[in-house]
């Protein structure tokens, strides 16, 4: 699938603003040049589903980067509740464990069928880019960042994430 995409289609631009009008204008102007836009936690927290819907009118693909992390049932319900927005990509934290990742992946598939849309690409966030080896050690991880990223990515793939 990726091989058939133009290089510009592989680029997603982060709209790091909480202003709906600004995000919508950016999405509209960037539309012909990128494969989609990313809306993060700050935007969604400030504007919720209505803000998302406004930007979606101007963007053909939205990466909803909320990095969901909770017990499996709660994350599955959150994924289901977000599916009517039809995000192209969603994120969850892999630190939630195998059951949470599987629940999120299953919920995305089921909810997409129920809503009648394409299942979003479910991305597992392994280690935040702000963390280094010392940070991981401080919270109890015994691997270096590079090793932990690979470990969590494998676990994500094994549990249905993309």
């Amino acid at each position: 699938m990726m091989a058939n995409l133009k290089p510009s289609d592989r680029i997603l631009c982060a709209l790091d603003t909480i202003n709906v009008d600004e995000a919508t204008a950016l999405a509209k102007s960037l539309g012909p040049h990128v494969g989609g836009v990313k809306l993060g936690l700050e935007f969604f927290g400030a504007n919720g589903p209505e803000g998302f819907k406004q930007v979606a009118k101007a963007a053909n693909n939205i990466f909803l980067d909320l990095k969901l992390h909770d017990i499996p049932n709660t994350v599955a319900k959150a994924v289901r509740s977000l599916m009517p927005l039809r995000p192209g990509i969603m994120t969850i934290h892999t630190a939630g464990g195998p059951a949470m990742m599987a629940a999120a992946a299953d919920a995305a598939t089921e909810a997409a069928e129920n809503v009648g849309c394409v299942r979003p690409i479910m991305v597992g966030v392994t280690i935040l880019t702000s963390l280094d080896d010392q940070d991981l050690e401080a919270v109890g991880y015994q691997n270096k960042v590079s090793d932990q990223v690979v470990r969590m990515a494998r676990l994500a793939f094994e549990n249905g994430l993309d």
Side-chain angles (χ1 to χ4, degrees), residues 76-143:
K77 286 181 178 182
V79 168
R80 284 186 197 98
S81 74
L82 294 165
M83 199 56 56
L85 298 175
R86 300 172 184 250
I89 303 169
M90 292 177 64
T91 54
I92 66 166
H93 268 291
T94 59
M100 188 202 72
M101 289 186 270
D106 292 345
T109 299
E110 174 190 309
E113 289 174 12
N114 291 340
V115 171
C117 68
V118 175
R119 177 189 182 271
I121 295 170
M122 297 298 291
V123 175
V125 175
T126 55
I127 299 297
L128 297 175
T129 55
S130 61
L131 301 178
D132 62 19
D133 290 341
Q134 292 168 327
D135 294 318
L136 290 191
E137 184 179 340
V139 297
Y141 285 90
Q142 296 181 13
N143 292 327

